[in-house]
Amino acid sequence: MVAFALGAVDFLVFPTVTISVLNSAGNLLGMPAIPSRVTEFWAVLAVAYMVLVAAFCWEATNQAGVDPQPVRFLVLGKATSSLVSILYFVVVVHAFAFLANFLVDGFIAAGTWLLLRGVKI
C-alpha cells in the first residue's frame, strides 16, 4: 500500500521527472524517448489510479483475513496497464518507459495473482 501511495505522490509532484528518468534509462539502451511533458489531465488520472490501488491494498489487508475482491481489482488494473504498455511499445514507439511499465506492472499483476491463489478464504 505504501508503494502505491508514494507512487501517487510521485505522479502528482514529479510527473515529468519520472518520465525523464525513464527516458534517460532508455537512452542508455539506445531506445527513443517519449515526450517528458505530461499534461495535468493525465497526471490527475495517474494519481487517482495510484490512490485507488493503495486503497484496494489497504482494504484487502485491513481485517484479520485477506479480502480477495479488492486484490482482484488490483490484478486487473495492473494486468491492463502492463498489456497496454506492451501494445504501445510494439505499435507506437519502442520507448523504454513503455517496456519498463510492461515489466513492472506485469510482475506486480503476476506476483499478486500467484499470492492471491494461495490465500485461504
Side-chain angles (χ1 to χ4, degrees):
M1 178 191 86
V2 173
F4 295 116
L6 291 174
V9 171
D10 174 55
F11 292 168
L12 181 64
V13 179
F14 307 109
T16 56
V17 173
T18 302
I19 297 297
S20 295
V21 168
L22 289 168
N23 283 338
S24 295
N27 188 37
L28 294 173
L29 300 171
M31 302 173 90
I34 59 175
S36 62
R37 176 71 183 123
V38 177
T39 64
E40 288 74 14
F41 176 74
W42 296 111
V44 167
L45 293 177
V47 168
Y49 173 73
M50 293 303 285
V51 168
L52 185 62
V53 169
F56 285 154
C57 293
W58 173 261
E59 188 66 27
T61 59
N62 197 20
Q63 299 172 12
V66 173
D67 180 1
Q69 191 58 45
V71 180
R72 289 184 184 117
F73 292 139
L74 168 65
V75 172
L76 177 63
K78 289 299 178 183
T80 301
S81 174
S82 178
L83 294 174
V84 171
S85 290
I86 197 64
L87 179 67
Y88 267 77
F89 180 79
V90 170
V91 175
V92 179
V93 61
H94 297 299
F96 180 74
F98 293 127
L99 182 61
N101 193 65
F102 164 71
L103 294 171
V104 170
D105 277 1
F107 281 121
I108 291 171
T112 304
W113 181 75
L114 288 172
L115 289 170
L116 183 62
R117 290 183 63 212
V119 171
K120 302 272 191 249
I121 299 173

